[in-house]
């Protein structure tokens, strides 16, 4: 019904960069197409009708990209590949302890349809053999059989990300001929391992095995497990990560029946096979893989499926114990407040104070995932950086995940450090973001006034700078200033200053008012007397224009200097953050004055050049510190 | 012999930030100190002398930090905890296939001293039961028994990172009473599973079990496995990562004997226990953990050891299938050449060309580990960025690891892209660094002239800019320029230009010659006519001063402008990269001229201000792009 061969590159935009992955899957298809051996399952008459030459491979990533080749869109019944998903459902619904009372987690070394049960614990050995799967099928929720059937169908459709149906012919064939499973179910009823009518439980179990899927569906289902239980296509969180862990563990030790030891040694991917010839394998955090090739071996595993998984595991190095954990670069970089500054513009003497004393502010950018090993390194790095630091900013902007253990350790470290040592500040922990658990832990561990949270590193840096300036140069703020003390007028003699004063006009702007607007002609030059204004530039994000604050300007600082040069236009918009009192100087009047007093212009331009040069030098140092 | 309790914080500098980890281990010690149950092994008389109350915990990281509490320095014999290390040695020496002929990888569900053998394969089931370990002991290299004993001792000393010795009394006791092991050995000799004199093999095996270790030693040995086979203290690579993978797989499925299924479900850390009460567990890529508590249960596992491992696994979330793989942030950031520039200073019209057309240069910074899942995302990102790009710079500076699969995929993608599409450039792949395998693969996949390698992203960016300038503004380079065309003199009238020309002095500097030196008084201002000079600043790295190139200056550009302001000092050193011809302008002479012609000074300072302002604006944009 589907094309026999999905052309390479048809899925993801024909990019040359990703073509090797498509090509590789096609090569695998060619390499193993002619492998003989095994035969199509025939214990259910309907299954024996499968085409033994059918062969498809699909691979889906945790962000929902799928590569597929061959008969990846051909439909077949899911059979035992359904078992891990029912087990995950049961764990999610009843929790670990309750489910363990119904089914164990020990590999048996026996075949998939073994009738051996763990009599000492009065439960089947594990949920990947038929006995265990039947016990799990009993746990499907619903008051009536119809409800249970509907719930089961919905469960699998959520894993696949599309509505799945049941192959009625296979279901009837299974129901009519599944004598061995019937024996197992009655044996379990006899020992009290199941309690409901075995015919109802088996009815659901046979339907579960008869769900129609394609190889591509299985790869999405596998990617859902790889993605901690969230379907990467729909974003639907189906089972919690802690239960995904359990499902993968049992797949790893029991998913390939009595081939499990060798599989886990050679392939090392938690996997599940079914007698219809499907195999699904999970590489946690990376991808889900699936193969469809109906001829199966004596263990009940697809012959070509096993070979494809061996090749993929070996050639892409996807073995579970192939170490790819990276703890060493959890600290993206650290920098100090003498080199990197907040966007708050500072007067020259304040800049000097920060250049001299800013190294007491230490900022650490954290990245990647926070779990035990990486958190230990982060805490060790904070310890190393703390001597000489008065303020430590921990910036979580690039952290995408923090597990409970990381949250607890960080919260505990923070509460220890609150007793002395540098002040610890945390940035970018959104209430509704992935680090919410950290916020909860921090609030539990620390008193409200001890916990210093900031929206972003810039806000934290500005706060630290203010603290430092209050400590090291307490006289800064609201004091009146003489015109001759402003950096831009330095070097003018008193009579020259008086001439300039005569040109200044006081101007008042209310909160939110635009003082100058990007693109307007530049005619005035400003000195701030009171209040703070923000420099904003237009940025386009996702096709929309919006304003972004890039700097703030306080008393004693100037802006709009470019107006002093031949009438350009404003390069940014400046908005009053609060009531702002400033003095405006008409550039035209200044030029007129300069005709008779050229030294005024030379002095002002010289000051301006020096100021820009210093700011440029600092910006270059910041670029180097940021790299 | 050691203090009974290692005080908290004594290992790592008493930092408040890391104290929670020390404290947690101490809490575990207190929580489980009074746990009853189990008894000290007594099948060897010497072992029964152990103090059942002894209790120590140690945890070592992959970068060599160790946390230890309780009796972590008390000596005991290693017993079965030695098995994974001997197995790793055998794999390293003979390879996977040869070792598989001697011992299998299937869990048995039997006790550690089981005499059951895999008769169909004619080998013991796995190397973690005594039979398998005896088969592995036969594989120790050496021509004589003395040599084999010495080699074995050296092996364990390398794993521990210090010389270990053998407990002679325990060894003699094992040798005298190890009848069951003797029976196993003779049974294996009978079936041809071993070939050498069983007494020699057992002599080595008993010695191996009698090695004296401390809990701290075991944590370092475990950390060596966590660290891909390299001892984190000594840097000694003892077994290759591919064999570490095998060792961990077998520890995971067989390391805790017939408790393995439950262990792997609950604890999920590859582990090995011994009858003397030691347990060692590995969290790949993160830490090694060890516990010493002599009372053992019926499976042969330390009672308190199991409880500590359960608690550590659960509370620090260290289960093998707890997903902490992070593939999503493999691309640290990308930027384009219109926003971020190389350190090569450009003339204003060149800067304009790059601002307008620089977005054809795309740079991608890659970070973390490159393996299948992260490489797939990287290649996909390259595909997304390639429309509209003429040049793509891939910067590997922050990549600490690339497995074979990643190297092959990248090399293949590069050779595909060489057939069309943007030019791909690679930076920061050192011949002697962790990405050497990538270099090898790239050289195999591509013709020499197709492969564009650069030392760093700045060099690649400069090369791309040059290409772009050649294409978009081909007339730039060696053309003569009039003084009035220089940005700094723009706006001067012809007579003013002639006055300045009268002040210029031609100066020639040979390659390597210092043109101006940081800290010197600034008296001259320069215009480059031919050649390129480098701006260098002194940086201190690891306590030493060295010079670092931060920019380069070519024809038509000026430097030393700050001399125009009241006699400051040079802020950087400028060195000729090749023969440089430039014109020097004595600032004093210019000031004299300006007294009669103030407009000259006003014009020059205005130009300078505009230039600085533009450069500052670009630097700020670059800072935003870098963040």
């Amino acid at each position: 019904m589907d094309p026999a061969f999905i052309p390479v590159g048809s899925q993801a935009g024909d990019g040359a960069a990703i073509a090797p992955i498509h090509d590789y899957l096609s090569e695998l298809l060619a390499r193993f197409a002619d492998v003989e051996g095994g035969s199509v399952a025939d214990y259910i008459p309907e299954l024996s009708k499968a085409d033994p030459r059918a062969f498809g491979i699909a691979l889906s990533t945790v962000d929902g990209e799928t590569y597929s080749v061959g008969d990846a869109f051909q439909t077949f019944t899911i059979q035992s590949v359904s078992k891990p998903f029912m087990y995950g459902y049961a764990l999610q619904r009843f929790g670990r302890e309750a489910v363990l009372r119904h089914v164990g987690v020990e590999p048996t070394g026996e075949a998939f349809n073994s009738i051996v049960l763990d009599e000492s614990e009065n439960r089947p050995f594990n949920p990947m053999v038929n006995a265990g799967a039947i016990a799990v099928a009993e746990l499907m929720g619903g008051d009536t059989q119809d409800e249970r059937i509907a719930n089961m169908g919905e469960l699998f459709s959520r894993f696949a990300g599309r509505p799945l149906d049941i192959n009625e012919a296979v279901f009837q064939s299974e129901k009519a001929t599944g004598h061995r499973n019937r024996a197992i179910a009655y044996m379990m009823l006899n020992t009290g391992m199941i309690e409901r009518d075995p015919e109802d439980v088996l009815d659901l179990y046979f339907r579960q095995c008869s769900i129609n899927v394609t190889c591509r569906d299985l790869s999405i289902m596998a990617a859902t497990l790889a993605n901690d239980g969230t379907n990467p296509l729909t974003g639907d969180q189906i089972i919690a990560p802690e239960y995904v862990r359990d499902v993968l563990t049992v797949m790893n030790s029991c998913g390939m029946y009595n081939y499990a030891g060798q599989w886990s040694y050679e392939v090392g991917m938690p996997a599940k096979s079914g007698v219809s010839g499907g195999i699904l394998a999970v590489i946690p955090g990376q991808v889900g893989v699936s193969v469809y090739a109906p001829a199966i071996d004596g263990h009940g595993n697809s012959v070509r499926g096993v070979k494809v998984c061996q090749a993929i595991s070996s050639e892409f190095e996807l073995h579970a114990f192939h170490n790819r954990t990276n703890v060493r670069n959890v600290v993206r970089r650290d920098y100090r407040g003498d080199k990197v500054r907040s966007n708050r513009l500072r007067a020259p003497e304040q800049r000097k104070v920060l250049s001299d004393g800013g190294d007491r502010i230490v900022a650490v950018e954290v990245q990647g995932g926070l779990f035990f090993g990486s958190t230990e390194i982060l805490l060790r790095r904070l310890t190393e950086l703390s001597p000489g630091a008065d303020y430590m900013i921990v910036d979580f902007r690039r952290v995408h995940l923090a597990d409970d253990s990381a949250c607890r350790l960080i919260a505990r470290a923070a509460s220890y450090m609150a007793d002395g040592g540098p002040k610890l500040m945390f940035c970018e922990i959104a209430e509704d973001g992935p680090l919410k658990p950290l916020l909860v832990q921090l609030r539990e561990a620390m008193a409200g006034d001890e916990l210093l949270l900031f929206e972003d590193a810039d806000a934290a840096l500005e706060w630290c700078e203010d603290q430092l300036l209050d400590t090291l140069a307490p006289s800064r703020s609201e004091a009146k200033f003489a015109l001759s003390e402003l950096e831009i007028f330095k070097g003018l003699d008193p009579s020259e200053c008086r001439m300039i004063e005569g040109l200044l006009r006081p101007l008042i702007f209310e909160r939110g008012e635009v003082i100058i607007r990007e693109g307007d002609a530049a005619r005035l030059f400003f000195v701030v007397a009171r209040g703070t204004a923000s420099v904003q530039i237009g940025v386009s994000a996702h096709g929309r224009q919006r304003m972004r604050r890039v700097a703030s300007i306080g008393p004693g600082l100037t802006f709009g200097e470019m107006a002093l040069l031949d009438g350009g236009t404003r390069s940014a918009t400046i908005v009053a953050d609060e009531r702002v009192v400033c003095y405006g100087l008409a550039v035209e009047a200044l030029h007129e004055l300069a005709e008779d007093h050229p030294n005024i212009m030379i002095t002002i331009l010289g000051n301006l050049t020096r100021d820009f040069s210093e700011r440029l030098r600092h910006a270059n140092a910041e670029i180097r510190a940021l790299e």
Side-chain angles (χ1 to χ4, degrees), chain A residues 606-619:
Chain A
N607 288 336
L608 212 48
T609 306
R610 195 177 295 108
D611 184 53
F612 274 133
S613 153
E614 198 213 311
R615 281 159 61 185
L616 182 61
R617 207 178 299 170
H618 185 83

Side-chain angles (χ1 to χ4, degrees), chain A residues 160-182:
Chain A
R162 72 171 185 99
L164 299 180
D165 57 11
I166 286 173
N167 183 323
E168 198 63 29
V170 171
F171 164 61
Q172 293 301 344
S173 185
E174 300 237 19
K175 190 157 185 165
T177 62
H179 310 309
R180 191 179 175 96
N181 285 326
R182 198 160 273 119

Side-chain angles (χ1 to χ4, degrees), chain A residues 125-158:
Chain A
F125 276 104
N126 70 65
M128 300 295 118
V129 292
N130 291 3
I134 292 168
V136 170
E138 195 193 20
L139 302 177
M140 176 53 65
D143 290 334
T144 64
Q145 185 71 354
D146 281 349
E147 268 181 45
R148 289 189 284 270
I149 292 169
N151 289 343
M152 188 268 291
E154 195 205 328
L155 175 71
F156 283 91
S157 299
R158 287 174 69 197

Side-chain angles (χ1 to χ4, degrees), chain A residues 86 89 93-94 102 134-149 185-186 188-190 192-205:
Chain A
M86 289 292 277
Y89 163 84
R93 179 153 190 244
F94 296 104
H102 291 271
I134 292 168
V136 170
E138 195 193 20
L139 302 177
M140 176 53 65
D143 290 334
T144 64
Q145 185 71 354
D146 281 349
E147 268 181 45
R148 289 189 284 270
I149 292 169
Y186 278 99
M188 293 202 290
L189 181 68
N190 176 54
M193 294 184 196
I194 61 173
E195 291 175 355
R196 279 220 313 271
D197 178 355
E199 291 300 336
D200 272 9
V201 177
L202 286 170
D203 178 80
L204 192 81
Y205 177 68

Side-chain angles (χ1 to χ4, degrees), chain A residues 5-11 22 25-26 29 56-60 66-73 215-216 219:
Chain A
F5 192 91
I6 307 300
V8 166
S10 68
Q11 298 284 317
H22 284 282
L25 295 182
S26 302
L29 208 63
I57 307 174
L59 184 153
S60 294
T66 294
Y67 301 83
S68 49
V69 295
D71 303 322
F73 287 78
C215 197
R216 185 170 186 282
S219 78

Side-chain angles (χ1 to χ4, degrees), chain A residues 300-578:
Chain A
N301 301 324
S302 163
V303 173
R304 281 174 292 169
V306 168
K307 290 200 179 296
V308 167
C309 289
Q310 284 169 339
I312 289 181
S313 168
S314 141
E315 289 165 41
F316 289 152
E317 300 182 72
L318 297 176
H319 194 288
F321 290 113
H322 170 64
N323 175 26
R324 61 189 80 83
T325 299
N326 169 32
V327 294
R328 284 182 177 82
N329 74 351
V330 60
V331 173
R332 181 175 181 253
R333 59 178 180 146
D334 52 76
Y335 54 86
R336 288 178 185 261
D338 56 342
K339 288 285 188 304
V340 175
R341 297 254 183 81
S342 75
N343 283 328
R344 171 83 188 225
L345 292 188
R346 304 287 182 182
E349 68 276 12
Q350 296 180 326
R351 297 206 298 257
K352 172 119 184 37
V353 169
L354 294 176
S355 283
D356 293 344
D359 61 348
R360 300 194 195 176
I361 306 169
V362 175
V364 175
E365 285 183 5
V366 191
Q367 71 181 354
L370 286 174
F371 43 86
F372 179 73
S374 54
T375 304
E376 191 270 341
I377 287 188
L378 168 63
L379 297 182
R380 195 136 42 88
R381 188 80 192 113
L382 293 182
T383 301
E384 286 162 13
L385 289 168
S386 58
D390 290 342
Y391 306 93
M392 294 193 94
I393 299 170
V394 186
D395 179 357
F396 288 109
R397 183 167 148 211
R398 290 169 191 83
V399 174
H400 69 288
L401 164 162
D403 69 15
D404 274 354
S405 120
C407 296
R408 280 199 310 274
L409 281 173
I410 292 169
R412 209 153 144 180
S415 86
Y416 279 37
M417 287 177 83
D419 287 345
K423 267 192 198 311
L424 205 55
M425 271 150 288
F426 298 103
C427 317
E428 306 264 2
I429 315 183
E431 288 278 359
D432 53 354
L435 296 188
K436 191 182 172 189
L438 176 59
L439 206 55
V440 173
Q441 291 280 351
L442 283 170
R443 286 189 178 135
E444 268 176 30
M446 299 175 80
D449 60 339
E450 280 175 355
L451 180 58
L452 299 171
L453 297 173
F454 291 87
E455 196 172 338
D456 56 28
D458 186 54
L461 207 49
E462 183 175 339
W463 187 86
C464 294
E465 288 171 357
D466 285 345
Q467 298 278 314
L468 211 56
L469 289 169
D470 276 344
T471 316
L472 301 177
S475 65
R476 62 176 179 117
S477 55
E478 299 301 327
K480 284 211 162 189
F481 48 85
L483 210 56
S484 62
E485 283 171 14
L486 288 180
E487 192 67 7
I488 194 158
F489 298 129
K490 256 195 190 143
L492 293 179
D493 65 32
S495 71
E496 290 169 334
C497 278
R498 273 193 302 277
M499 281 185 260
I500 301 236
E501 272 170 359
L503 300 177
L504 288 176
R505 297 284 167 269
L507 297 162
I508 294 176
F509 298 90
E510 298 301 333
R511 180 190 159 88
E513 210 172 331
V514 171
I515 305 177
I516 64 180
R517 190 182 299 277
E518 190 172 348
D520 283 357
R523 294 207 187 85
L524 282 176
F525 155 80
F526 298 83
V527 180
V528 180
R530 252 206 307 280
T532 307
S534 284
V535 183
Q536 305 185 340
I537 55 163
V539 291
S540 80
H542 310 295
R544 263 187 236 165
Q545 269 309 104
R546 58 178 195 84
M547 298 310 288
R548 186 182 145 185
R549 183 191 123 151
V550 292
S552 69
I553 304 171
L557 291 176
T558 54
F559 62 88
E561 301 91 343
M562 293 306 290
L564 291 172
L565 310 176
D566 38 4
T569 56
R570 301 298 190 189
S571 61
T573 295
I574 295 186
V575 178
D577 291 338
E578 54 193 331

Side-chain angles (χ1 to χ4, degrees), chain A residues 585-607:
Chain A
L585 175 59
V587 173
E588 209 174 315
L590 188 63
H591 279 293
E592 274 169 30
L593 182 66
E595 279 179 21
D596 296 329
H597 305 276
N599 185 52
I600 291 183
M601 205 59 175
I602 291 175
T603 304
I604 289 178
L605 286 174
N607 288 336

